[in-house]
Short mmCIF file of all heavy atoms in Angstrom, two decimals:
data_model
loop_
_atom_site.label_atom_id
_atom_site.label_comp_id
_atom_site.label_asym_id
_atom_site.label_seq_id
_atom_site.Cartn_x
_atom_site.Cartn_y
_atom_site.Cartn_z
N SER Q 1 24.01 15.06 6.80
CA SER Q 1 23.83 15.30 8.26
C SER Q 1 22.88 14.26 8.94
O SER Q 1 22.11 13.63 8.22
CB SER Q 1 23.16 16.76 8.44
OG SER Q 1 21.88 16.79 7.96
N PRO Q 2 22.98 14.14 10.21
CA PRO Q 2 22.13 13.18 10.87
C PRO Q 2 20.57 13.46 10.63
O PRO Q 2 19.76 12.47 10.46
CB PRO Q 2 22.41 13.29 12.38
CG PRO Q 2 23.84 13.83 12.35
CD PRO Q 2 23.92 14.70 11.14
N ALA Q 3 20.21 14.72 10.56
CA ALA Q 3 18.85 15.05 10.38
C ALA Q 3 18.40 14.60 8.98
O ALA Q 3 17.28 14.01 8.80
CB ALA Q 3 18.58 16.52 10.46
N THR Q 4 19.28 14.78 7.99
CA THR Q 4 18.94 14.35 6.65
C THR Q 4 18.78 12.82 6.57
O THR Q 4 17.90 12.24 5.93
CB THR Q 4 20.00 14.82 5.66
OG1 THR Q 4 20.08 16.23 5.67
CG2 THR Q 4 19.66 14.28 4.29
N ARG Q 5 19.70 12.10 7.27
CA ARG Q 5 19.63 10.67 7.18
C ARG Q 5 18.36 10.10 7.89
O ARG Q 5 17.82 9.08 7.43
CB ARG Q 5 20.89 10.01 7.80
CG ARG Q 5 22.15 10.22 6.92
CD ARG Q 5 23.39 9.65 7.49
NE ARG Q 5 23.97 10.55 8.45
CZ ARG Q 5 25.15 10.26 9.18
NH1 ARG Q 5 25.74 9.22 8.90
NH2 ARG Q 5 25.63 11.20 10.09
N VAL Q 6 18.05 10.69 9.03
CA VAL Q 6 16.76 10.27 9.63
C VAL Q 6 15.59 10.61 8.78
O VAL Q 6 14.65 9.74 8.60
CB VAL Q 6 16.59 11.03 10.95
CG1 VAL Q 6 15.24 10.87 11.56
CG2 VAL Q 6 17.61 10.58 11.96
N THR Q 7 15.59 11.72 8.03
CA THR Q 7 14.45 12.07 7.14
C THR Q 7 14.38 11.02 5.98
O THR Q 7 13.30 10.51 5.64
CB THR Q 7 14.72 13.47 6.59
OG1 THR Q 7 14.77 14.42 7.60
CG2 THR Q 7 13.60 13.83 5.64
N LEU Q 8 15.51 10.71 5.40
CA LEU Q 8 15.53 9.70 4.30
C LEU Q 8 15.08 8.31 4.79
O LEU Q 8 14.32 7.63 4.04
CB LEU Q 8 16.92 9.56 3.69
CG LEU Q 8 17.47 10.78 2.93
CD1 LEU Q 8 18.90 10.57 2.49
CD2 LEU Q 8 16.52 11.10 1.75
N THR Q 9 15.42 8.00 5.99
CA THR Q 9 14.98 6.61 6.55
C THR Q 9 13.47 6.65 6.71
O THR Q 9 12.75 5.65 6.38
CB THR Q 9 15.66 6.40 7.96
OG1 THR Q 9 17.07 6.33 7.76
CG2 THR Q 9 15.19 4.99 8.48
N LEU Q 10 12.90 7.75 7.23
CA LEU Q 10 11.48 7.87 7.44
C LEU Q 10 10.73 7.91 6.10
O LEU Q 10 9.60 7.32 5.99
CB LEU Q 10 11.10 9.07 8.28
CG LEU Q 10 11.62 9.04 9.72
CD1 LEU Q 10 11.25 10.34 10.47
CD2 LEU Q 10 10.93 7.84 10.49
N TYR Q 11 11.30 8.57 5.13
CA TYR Q 11 10.64 8.64 3.83
C TYR Q 11 10.64 7.22 3.12
O TYR Q 11 9.67 6.83 2.42
CB TYR Q 11 11.38 9.65 2.90
CG TYR Q 11 10.85 11.01 3.02
CD1 TYR Q 11 11.70 12.07 3.25
CD2 TYR Q 11 9.47 11.28 2.96
CE1 TYR Q 11 11.22 13.37 3.42
CE2 TYR Q 11 9.02 12.61 3.11
CZ TYR Q 11 9.89 13.65 3.27
OH TYR Q 11 9.40 14.98 3.40
N THR Q 12 11.71 6.49 3.30
CA THR Q 12 11.77 5.16 2.83
C THR Q 12 10.63 4.32 3.47
O THR Q 12 9.84 3.51 2.82
CB THR Q 12 13.13 4.46 3.12
OG1 THR Q 12 14.10 5.22 2.51
CG2 THR Q 12 13.13 3.08 2.58
N LEU Q 13 10.44 4.42 4.78
CA LEU Q 13 9.36 3.76 5.51
C LEU Q 13 8.02 4.28 4.99
O LEU Q 13 7.15 3.41 4.77
CB LEU Q 13 9.50 4.01 7.01
CG LEU Q 13 8.30 3.39 7.81
CD1 LEU Q 13 8.30 1.98 7.79
CD2 LEU Q 13 8.51 3.94 9.30
N LEU Q 14 7.85 5.56 4.76
CA LEU Q 14 6.61 6.04 4.32
C LEU Q 14 6.20 5.45 2.88
O LEU Q 14 5.07 5.07 2.66
CB LEU Q 14 6.72 7.61 4.14
CG LEU Q 14 5.45 8.28 3.48
CD1 LEU Q 14 4.27 8.03 4.35
CD2 LEU Q 14 5.74 9.79 3.33
N SER Q 15 7.18 5.30 2.03
CA SER Q 15 6.90 4.74 0.72
C SER Q 15 6.47 3.32 0.84
O SER Q 15 5.59 2.80 0.06
CB SER Q 15 8.13 4.86 -0.16
OG SER Q 15 9.17 3.98 0.20
N ILE Q 16 7.04 2.54 1.74
CA ILE Q 16 6.71 1.16 1.98
C ILE Q 16 5.30 1.05 2.55
O ILE Q 16 4.43 0.22 2.10
CB ILE Q 16 7.71 0.49 2.91
CG1 ILE Q 16 9.10 0.43 2.23
CG2 ILE Q 16 7.17 -0.96 3.35
CD1 ILE Q 16 10.21 -0.12 3.16
N LEU Q 17 4.95 1.90 3.54
CA LEU Q 17 3.63 1.95 4.08
C LEU Q 17 2.63 2.38 3.07
O LEU Q 17 1.42 1.81 2.96
CB LEU Q 17 3.54 2.82 5.26
CG LEU Q 17 4.45 2.47 6.48
CD1 LEU Q 17 4.29 3.53 7.59
CD2 LEU Q 17 4.04 1.09 6.98
N MET Q 18 2.93 3.27 2.16
CA MET Q 18 2.01 3.61 1.06
C MET Q 18 1.75 2.44 0.16
O MET Q 18 0.61 2.19 -0.29
CB MET Q 18 2.67 4.71 0.30
CG MET Q 18 2.61 6.11 0.91
SD MET Q 18 3.68 7.35 -0.01
CE MET Q 18 3.32 7.09 -1.64
N ALA Q 19 2.81 1.74 -0.17
CA ALA Q 19 2.66 0.55 -1.01
C ALA Q 19 1.73 -0.52 -0.37
O ALA Q 19 0.89 -1.06 -1.06
CB ALA Q 19 3.96 -0.13 -1.32
N CYS Q 20 1.85 -0.74 0.94
CA CYS Q 20 1.05 -1.65 1.60
C CYS Q 20 -0.44 -1.28 1.69
O CYS Q 20 -1.36 -2.06 1.43
CB CYS Q 20 1.56 -1.86 3.08
SG CYS Q 20 3.16 -2.72 3.18
N VAL Q 21 -0.67 -0.01 1.91
CA VAL Q 21 -2.02 0.53 2.08
C VAL Q 21 -2.72 0.49 0.68
O VAL Q 21 -3.85 0.02 0.56
CB VAL Q 21 -2.03 1.96 2.66
CG1 VAL Q 21 -3.43 2.57 2.58
CG2 VAL Q 21 -1.57 1.93 4.14
N ILE Q 22 -1.97 1.00 -0.27
CA ILE Q 22 -2.59 0.97 -1.66
C ILE Q 22 -2.90 -0.39 -2.12
O ILE Q 22 -4.00 -0.64 -2.74
CB ILE Q 22 -1.70 1.77 -2.60
CG1 ILE Q 22 -1.60 3.26 -2.26
CG2 ILE Q 22 -2.09 1.57 -4.04
CD1 ILE Q 22 -0.69 4.02 -3.05
N SER Q 23 -2.04 -1.33 -1.93
CA SER Q 23 -2.23 -2.70 -2.46
C SER Q 23 -3.43 -3.33 -1.67
O SER Q 23 -4.33 -3.99 -2.36
CB SER Q 23 -1.01 -3.54 -2.22
OG SER Q 23 0.14 -3.13 -2.88
N ALA Q 24 -3.55 -3.11 -0.42
CA ALA Q 24 -4.68 -3.69 0.39
C ALA Q 24 -5.98 -3.04 -0.14
O ALA Q 24 -7.06 -3.75 -0.26
CB ALA Q 24 -4.53 -3.45 1.84
N LEU Q 25 -6.07 -1.74 -0.37
CA LEU Q 25 -7.24 -1.04 -0.81
C LEU Q 25 -7.63 -1.59 -2.21
O LEU Q 25 -8.84 -1.83 -2.45
CB LEU Q 25 -7.00 0.50 -0.89
CG LEU Q 25 -6.91 1.16 0.49
CD1 LEU Q 25 -6.64 2.69 0.22
CD2 LEU Q 25 -8.26 1.00 1.18
N ILE Q 26 -6.65 -1.68 -3.13
CA ILE Q 26 -6.99 -2.17 -4.43
C ILE Q 26 -7.56 -3.56 -4.48
O ILE Q 26 -8.57 -3.88 -5.06
CB ILE Q 26 -5.74 -2.12 -5.31
CG1 ILE Q 26 -5.35 -0.65 -5.61
CG2 ILE Q 26 -5.95 -2.89 -6.61
CD1 ILE Q 26 -4.11 -0.47 -6.39
N GLU Q 27 -6.97 -4.50 -3.69
CA GLU Q 27 -7.48 -5.82 -3.53
C GLU Q 27 -8.91 -5.90 -2.95
O GLU Q 27 -9.72 -6.60 -3.37
CB GLU Q 27 -6.57 -6.68 -2.74
CG GLU Q 27 -5.15 -6.96 -3.37
CD GLU Q 27 -5.31 -7.70 -4.74
OE1 GLU Q 27 -6.11 -8.70 -4.81
OE2 GLU Q 27 -4.57 -7.30 -5.71
N THR Q 28 -9.11 -5.06 -2.00
CA THR Q 28 -10.45 -4.99 -1.38
C THR Q 28 -11.50 -4.46 -2.27
O THR Q 28 -12.54 -4.96 -2.31
CB THR Q 28 -10.36 -4.10 -0.03
OG1 THR Q 28 -9.34 -4.69 0.89
CG2 THR Q 28 -11.69 -4.13 0.69
N LEU Q 29 -11.14 -3.42 -2.98
CA LEU Q 29 -12.06 -2.87 -3.98
C LEU Q 29 -12.43 -3.88 -5.13
O LEU Q 29 -13.55 -3.99 -5.58
CB LEU Q 29 -11.56 -1.51 -4.53
CG LEU Q 29 -11.48 -0.31 -3.52
CD1 LEU Q 29 -10.81 0.85 -4.17
CD2 LEU Q 29 -12.87 -0.06 -3.03
N PHE Q 30 -11.40 -4.46 -5.60
CA PHE Q 30 -11.60 -5.36 -6.66
C PHE Q 30 -12.36 -6.62 -6.26
O PHE Q 30 -12.98 -7.27 -7.07
CB PHE Q 30 -10.27 -5.77 -7.37
CG PHE Q 30 -9.83 -4.85 -8.49
CD1 PHE Q 30 -9.22 -3.69 -8.16
CD2 PHE Q 30 -10.17 -5.18 -9.82
CE1 PHE Q 30 -8.77 -2.76 -9.14
CE2 PHE Q 30 -9.74 -4.26 -10.78
CZ PHE Q 30 -9.10 -3.14 -10.46
N ALA Q 31 -12.22 -7.02 -4.95
CA ALA Q 31 -12.96 -8.14 -4.48
C ALA Q 31 -14.49 -7.91 -4.52
O ALA Q 31 -15.21 -8.88 -4.68
CB ALA Q 31 -12.57 -8.40 -3.01
N GLN Q 32 -14.86 -6.63 -4.48
CA GLN Q 32 -16.33 -6.35 -4.58
C GLN Q 32 -16.89 -6.55 -5.97
O GLN Q 32 -18.09 -6.52 -6.21
CB GLN Q 32 -16.55 -4.91 -4.17
CG GLN Q 32 -15.94 -4.50 -2.75
CD GLN Q 32 -16.42 -5.40 -1.65
OE1 GLN Q 32 -17.60 -5.78 -1.68
NE2 GLN Q 32 -15.61 -5.73 -0.77
N THR Q 33 -15.97 -6.63 -6.95
CA THR Q 33 -16.46 -6.75 -8.39
C THR Q 33 -16.58 -8.14 -8.82
O THR Q 33 -16.82 -8.41 -10.00
CB THR Q 33 -15.41 -5.92 -9.31
OG1 THR Q 33 -14.14 -6.70 -9.30
CG2 THR Q 33 -15.22 -4.59 -8.89
N HIS Q 34 -16.34 -9.08 -7.96
CA HIS Q 34 -16.48 -10.57 -8.32
C HIS Q 34 -17.89 -10.72 -8.77
O HIS Q 34 -18.92 -10.29 -8.13
CB HIS Q 34 -16.13 -11.49 -7.19
CG HIS Q 34 -14.66 -11.58 -6.97
ND1 HIS Q 34 -13.78 -12.07 -7.90
CD2 HIS Q 34 -13.91 -11.29 -5.92
CE1 HIS Q 34 -12.59 -12.12 -7.49
NE2 HIS Q 34 -12.57 -11.61 -6.26
N SER Q 35 -18.11 -11.60 -9.76
CA SER Q 35 -19.41 -11.95 -10.25
C SER Q 35 -20.08 -12.88 -9.28
O SER Q 35 -19.41 -13.52 -8.43
CB SER Q 35 -19.31 -12.61 -11.61
OG SER Q 35 -18.69 -13.81 -11.52
N SER Q 36 -21.41 -12.91 -9.36
CA SER Q 36 -22.12 -13.81 -8.45
C SER Q 36 -21.79 -15.26 -8.66
O SER Q 36 -22.01 -16.10 -7.71
CB SER Q 36 -23.64 -13.59 -8.61
OG SER Q 36 -23.99 -13.88 -9.96
N ASP Q 37 -21.22 -15.62 -9.82
CA ASP Q 37 -20.93 -17.01 -10.11
C ASP Q 37 -19.43 -17.25 -9.98
O ASP Q 37 -18.88 -18.14 -10.54
CB ASP Q 37 -21.28 -17.33 -11.56
CG ASP Q 37 -22.79 -17.30 -11.76
OD1 ASP Q 37 -23.49 -17.57 -10.83
OD2 ASP Q 37 -23.18 -16.91 -12.88
N ALA Q 38 -18.73 -16.42 -9.14
CA ALA Q 38 -17.27 -16.62 -9.00
C ALA Q 38 -16.84 -17.98 -8.41
O ALA Q 38 -15.87 -18.53 -8.80
CB ALA Q 38 -16.71 -15.43 -8.06
N VAL Q 39 -17.69 -18.43 -7.46
CA VAL Q 39 -17.50 -19.72 -6.83
C VAL Q 39 -17.55 -20.82 -7.89
O VAL Q 39 -16.67 -21.68 -8.08
CB VAL Q 39 -18.48 -19.96 -5.66
CG1 VAL Q 39 -18.20 -21.38 -5.12
CG2 VAL Q 39 -18.26 -18.96 -4.66
N LEU Q 40 -18.70 -20.82 -8.75
CA LEU Q 40 -18.85 -21.81 -9.72
C LEU Q 40 -17.79 -21.67 -10.80
O LEU Q 40 -17.41 -22.68 -11.30
CB LEU Q 40 -20.32 -21.59 -10.34
CG LEU Q 40 -21.46 -21.99 -9.47
CD1 LEU Q 40 -22.73 -21.76 -10.22
CD2 LEU Q 40 -21.37 -23.38 -8.98
#
């Protein structure tokens, strides 16, 4: 049905947005763990 297809489209978008948010959060959190000598 049209309602089901709209729902599936939105769920696909939701999973992509989840992936983007989780990836950005993980990279930001791990960036805080760099040692003080990371540049060297």
Side-chain angles (χ1 to χ4, degrees):
S1 65
T4 300
R5 286 181 282 185
V6 170
T7 301
L8 292 177
T9 302
L10 292 177
Y11 273 130
T12 301
L13 174 63
L14 175 62
S15 67
I16 295 173
L17 296 180
M18 286 167 46
C20 293
V21 172
I22 290 174
S23 298
L25 287 176
I26 289 175
E27 292 298 318
T28 302
L29 291 175
F30 272 82
Q32 308 302 322
T33 65
H34 283 299
S35 66
S36 59
D37 295 331
V39 177
L40 294 178

